[in-house]
Amino acid sequence: MKTNPVQPAPSAEKRPHHQTRFETEWTDDYAWMKDANWQTVMRDPSQLARDIRAHLETENAYTDAALTPLSDLKDAIFGEMKGRLEPTARGVPMPDGAYAYFHFYREGDQHGVYARQDVAAAEPEDEIILDCDALAKGTSFFDIGDVSHSPDHKWLAYSVDEKGSENYAVFLRDLASGQVHGTGIDRSAGALVWAANGRTLFWVERDENQRPYAVRFKDVFDARGKIHTAYEEQDPGFFVSVGSSDDERFIEISAHNHTTSEIHRIPSIDPSTPPTCFSKRQAGLEYSLHDQGGTTYILTNQGGAVDFAVMTGKAGDAPTDWQPFIPHKPGTLILGMETFSRWLVRLERENALPQIIIRDMENGAEHAIAMPEAAYGLGIKSGYEYETDTLYFSYSSPSRPGTVYRYDMNTRERETVRVQVVPSGHNPEDYRVERISITARDGESIPVTILARKDVETDGSNPLLLYGYGSYGITIPAGFRTHILSLVDRGTVYAIAHIRGGQAKGYQWYLDGKLEKKINTFNDFVDAGRALAELGWTSEGRIVAHGGSAGGLLVGAAVNQAPEIFAGVIAAVPFVDVLNTMSDTELPLTPPEWPEWGNPITDAAAFHRLRNYSPYDNVEAKAYPPMLITGGLTDPRVTYWEPAKWAAKLRDRQTSDAPILLKINMEAGHQGESGRYDSLKETALEYAFAVDCMGLS
């Protein structure tokens, strides 16, 4: 490998921290890497303890030196990926009364601009309402949380994060004069919702531990600036979010964890009204609300509807009194729903493929929008209008660029309004896309999506990038990703393992990959790699594993289990210190995520389960493959010390000369570099590392 470093690897100091729980003793040598004042560091990275900063900077210097021989390759891959991006890409203008709103890029833009057009104009012109690149000047990190225009189209509220910590400051822009006003709001979680009066703004506030816990509102044009509380969550295990109902008659406040939800509503025309709870939380009961024709339709798992059903009911009704409307169909997961004045639209997934179902609420007739390819991604693009027969939806496949359609739900006619352009050139017919099933060790059938050059032979000679996630019910869509072509065009096979813990085969697929069944997720990934080798797509030892966040947990557990099948591992912002993180009640995600992982503080079975698979706790003296591990200093989701501790322990136990490389972004959080070009540089580095591990460099 070119990445074999010439300088000695950092050797982190061991400061043993001993713990005892459930009659079990264990030692964490690297617990010191967690700054005692981490909450302060999230808001002001300069406050990081000097010894921790020195260690991270040493790690970064080592990684930079180790990867220097790949600089030309990284630059070439970056150039390829940049060449596939449309320099002046434009979103589809979405109508809202007198205007249609959209986002687009100018040549060279990192963040682009938000704009609108007068829908009545014969030749609409772009009116820029927010220039994000101008706002980003002078910042090392820049992210827009939300952009929301007022109902009268006179004002724009927007939220900005300049640290990567996901604490957003909120501003107002007068769309007539262009003047910007501060609001005094600086701990917003990002989302902004206007009330119908065009004066009252709602947002979610974070607490001192970075959890979104309260919905606040204020009259933003009141000089006194009094802030009111609409809702404040008392249970640290629940997150809070705010939005609008489909018909925009209600401000909706949702309190939820991964398995339970509770919705409160406020009339948008009277925003100071105390919120009304639609149905009080019951453990394991999930629901969302959708209004149409004076009836509230409830998408829910009530009554054992594992893959969800649609019911009707009123505020205050017990869930057992809700009435069936669209019955539960096992194996057909209802992913989401949206209502219009005449229509009810739902997105379903069956046999790992999505389809859109449209129901005419006047006569009950239904029809489906499905696509014929073996694997594809399909999504509803929510617009602003409720009184409309028009639906926008997007489609792509691993080999076919994205297309946005305007669909008349009445005539069933579709119009192509945007096709993703690949400036450097792309022919879908040069590639093969397959959806195969492999058999896991327990006999379960695991879907795998494959993208490869058309001339690739299944003779075992191909390197392969195996991507997975497998948590929270998140399913990786089989859509078009321009950047992966830099690997595929070099002869790499790209495979997505749709493992248990996602919802590729329904909600039960998620249940079969969490809590006491979490080991299925890791086994599925390893079994997918071995099966792909047996089928000739690759061979063992030629696979690079790639996962981020909870996908980092996945590849971390997989490489502990079967390091010999991997040529390399890319773990981006990896959640790997599972036992310690799920035992720390002050961390942002810990109490809300106990339904996903278990509570190792009070539950002995959960403690032993997490301890048995946590990647950090299960590092052993063995020959690990080359590994590239990344993190972000201000990341509130996977805190920087998780990848830092893991890298130190891996290097300490490594029995081969394969490098363990850690790169911590000292000016970013969970999403890495901001800006569409700067973010590509991180991906280019990861792919250069993968190419080198595969022996293609």
Side-chain angles (χ1 to χ4, degrees):
M1 287 186 62
K2 288 185 178 180
T3 52
N4 273 325
V6 295
Q7 65 186 62
S11 180
E13 179 185 352
K14 294 181 180 180
R15 304 177 192 174
H17 174 67
H18 304 290
Q19 300 180 74
T20 302
R21 194 181 312 155
F22 298 117
E23 300 180 349
T24 301
E25 296 182 4
W26 77 102
T27 300
D28 185 351
D29 288 328
Y30 305 108
W32 63 270
M33 294 185 188
K34 174 189 174 185
D35 194 304
N37 297 313
W38 63 268
Q39 296 99 328
T40 301
V41 174
M42 290 286 171
R43 295 187 290 274
D44 183 1
S46 68
Q47 298 301 307
L48 183 67
R50 283 183 292 179
D51 58 339
I52 300 173
R53 180 176 294 278
H55 173 71
L56 297 181
E57 290 177 345
T58 300
E59 288 278 13
N60 283 345
Y62 171 71
T63 296
D64 289 344
L67 296 177
T68 294
L70 301 181
S71 295
D72 290 345
L73 176 60
K74 181 193 71 173
D75 291 345
I77 292 175
F78 172 74
E80 294 164 8
M81 293 192 297
K82 185 177 179 181
R84 297 189 194 101
L85 291 184
E86 300 174 66
T88 55
R90 293 174 66 87
V92 175
M94 306 297 281
D96 183 19
Y99 294 94
Y101 292 83
F102 62 107
H103 177 269
F104 73 90
Y105 291 95
R106 300 161 301 196
E107 188 87 32
D109 273 356
Q110 289 265 30
H111 306 278
V113 301
Y114 289 86
R116 67 182 181 183
Q117 295 175 345
D118 184 341
V119 299
E123 296 183 5
E125 295 184 356
D126 298 342
E127 176 192 351
I128 294 176
I129 57 177
L130 190 68
D131 187 333
C132 299
D133 272 69
L135 291 175
K137 284 184 178 178
T139 65
S140 57
F141 180 92
F142 179 85
D143 182 55
I144 290 285
D146 196 9
V147 175
S148 179
H149 60 270
S150 61
D152 59 9
H153 305 281
K154 294 181 179 179
W155 291 86
L156 194 73
Y158 62 95
S159 53
V160 175
D161 172 19
E162 295 184 357
K163 301 292 184 183
S165 63
E166 301 180 35
N167 287 292
Y168 292 86
V170 178
F171 301 89
L172 294 176
R173 187 171 191 267
D174 185 333
L175 293 180
S177 67
Q179 187 174 359
V180 174
H181 305 266
T183 64
I185 304 166
D186 60 3
R187 295 289 296 274
S188 160
L192 304 171
V193 180
W194 289 93
N197 61 13
R199 297 183 60 91
T200 305
L201 191 68
F202 287 79
W203 71 95
V204 174
E205 187 173 294
R206 294 187 183 275
D207 65 13
E208 65 277 4
N209 290 326
Q210 291 291 99
R211 296 189 190 108
Y213 83 111
V215 174
R216 313 288 193 204
F217 68 97
K218 66 182 290 189
D219 182 337
V220 290
F221 303 113
D222 182 350
R224 293 173 296 178
K226 185 176 181 181
I227 294 176
H228 305 273
T229 298
Y231 178 86
E232 192 167 297
E233 178 57 51
Q234 302 302 312
D235 186 340
F238 278 71
F239 280 171
V240 173
S241 60
V242 66
S244 296
S245 60
D246 291 349
D247 60 5
E248 297 190 340
R249 291 191 303 123
F250 297 101
I251 306 295
E252 285 193 349
I253 298 168
S254 174
H256 52 274
N257 59 23
H258 291 292
T259 59
T260 304
S261 53
E262 178 180 273
I263 295 175
H264 301 253
R265 284 180 149 187
I266 299 170
S268 188
I269 61 171
D270 192 2
S272 61
T273 303
T276 298
C277 180
F278 189 87
S279 183
K280 291 184 178 180
R281 67 189 68 172
Q282 296 181 18
L285 177 66
E286 298 181 66
Y287 70 93
S288 61
L289 306 178
H290 308 269
D291 300 286
Q292 199 282 330
T295 300
T296 300
Y297 295 90
I298 308 160
L299 178 59
T300 180
N301 62 351
Q302 159 64 18
V306 174
D307 287 314
F308 286 74
V310 181
M311 309 183 85
T312 61
K314 300 186 299 298
D317 286 351
T320 52
D321 292 332
W322 294 345
Q323 297 300 306
F325 182 71
I326 297 174
H328 174 236
K329 183 181 177 183
T332 300
L333 175 64
I334 305 178
L335 296 164
M337 195 166 77
E338 190 166 346
T339 53
F340 299 86
S341 59
R342 182 185 160 188
W343 310 93
L344 186 151
V345 179
R346 62 188 191 273
L347 181 63
E348 298 182 346
R349 184 186 295 119
E350 185 175 10
N351 295 324
L353 292 176
Q355 61 179 349
I356 296 172
I357 309 294
I358 297 173
R359 185 183 185 98
D360 187 331
M361 298 300 282
E362 292 182 357
N363 57 30
E366 289 190 349
H367 68 276
I369 304 175
M371 297 294 173
E373 291 193 74
Y376 58 85
L378 192 63
I380 298 171
K381 296 183 72 66
S382 297
Y384 300 105
E385 296 188 318
Y386 180 74
E387 299 282 345
T388 182
D389 293 329
T390 300
L391 175 73
Y392 292 85
F393 71 91
S394 60
Y395 166 84
S396 71
S397 78
S399 66
R400 200 166 298 278
T403 301
V404 178
Y405 296 96
R406 181 187 294 116
Y407 185 78
D408 189 314
M409 294 182 280
N410 189 39
T411 66
R412 305 188 185 183
E413 295 177 351
R414 74 177 68 175
E415 176 188 359
T416 300
V417 293
R418 185 182 185 278
V419 178
Q420 182 180 358
V421 175
V422 181
S424 58
H426 176 74
N427 181 8
E429 306 308 318
D430 290 340
Y431 302 88
R432 58 192 291 193
V433 175
E434 295 192 20
R435 170 66 60 82
I436 67 171
S437 291
I438 66 96
T439 301
R441 66 192 70 178
D442 63 356
E444 186 60 81
S445 179
I446 313 299
V448 178
T449 298
I450 294 174
L451 172 68
R453 293 286 301 183
K454 199 168 187 177
D455 56 359
V456 159
E457 300 289 342
T458 51
D459 58 5
S461 65
N462 311 304
L464 183 142
L465 185 81
L466 183 61
Y467 187 86
Y469 191 79
S471 292
Y472 308 118
I474 293 173
T475 300
I476 304 301
F480 187 66
R481 296 174 177 84
T482 58
H483 53 264
I484 198 63
L485 298 177
S486 285
L487 291 182
V488 174
D489 286 345
R490 284 176 167 81
T492 298
V493 174
Y494 176 57
I496 305 172
H498 302 287
I499 51 186
R500 281 172 280 188
Q503 296 184 49
K505 295 177 69 173
Y507 198 85
Q508 188 64 46
W509 202 243
Y510 166 47
L511 299 178
D512 287 343
K514 64 180 294 191
L515 294 173
E516 68 278 357
K517 297 181 179 180
K518 190 61 197 173
I519 193 67
N520 288 337
T521 302
F522 317 132
N523 292 347
D524 288 355
F525 191 77
V526 171
D527 293 348
R530 286 181 169 145
L532 288 164
E534 291 171 4
L535 293 169
W537 287 103
T538 187
S539 56
E540 293 193 16
R542 298 219 70 192
I543 301 169
V544 172
H546 189 192
S549 195
L553 160 65
L554 169 69
V555 300
V559 77
N560 277 340
Q561 182 182 137
E564 70 281 357
I565 75 170
F566 299 111
V569 173
I570 302 169
V573 290
F575 172 42
V576 286
D577 192 12
V578 183
L579 179 60
N580 284 319
T581 293
M582 285 297 104
S583 299
D584 190 340
T585 58
E586 290 189 350
L587 293 177
L589 298 184
T590 295
E593 299 216 345
W594 285 332
E596 179 77 16
W597 313 103
N599 183 345
I601 302 173
T602 60
D603 183 345
F607 169 82
H608 291 294
R609 184 172 65 245
L610 268 60
R611 189 165 183 262
N612 285 339
Y613 72 66
S614 171
Y616 177 67
D617 292 285
N618 287 278
V619 174
E620 299 175 341
K622 61 177 61 173
Y624 286 97
M627 299 178 67
L628 176 60
I629 303 165
T630 66
L633 183 60
T634 57
D635 186 348
R637 299 172 185 262
V638 178
T639 47
Y640 73 85
W641 57 85
E642 290 205 34
K645 290 169 58 179
W646 188 42
K649 192 170 185 180
L650 282 164
R651 195 179 294 126
D652 182 63
R653 305 288 175 89
Q654 173 70 294
T655 63
S656 77
D657 60 359
I660 306 296
L661 305 177
L662 173 69
K663 188 171 183 63
I664 298 292
N665 191 321
M666 305 298 281
E667 297 181 329
H670 197 65
Q671 305 303 328
E673 291 281 358
S674 60
R676 63 172 178 161
Y677 296 129
D678 286 347
S679 63
L680 282 183
K681 294 176 182 177
E682 292 188 339
T683 305
L685 178 66
E686 293 176 346
Y687 284 4
F689 176 80
V691 167
D692 191 47
C693 291
M694 294 168 177
L696 300 177
S697 59

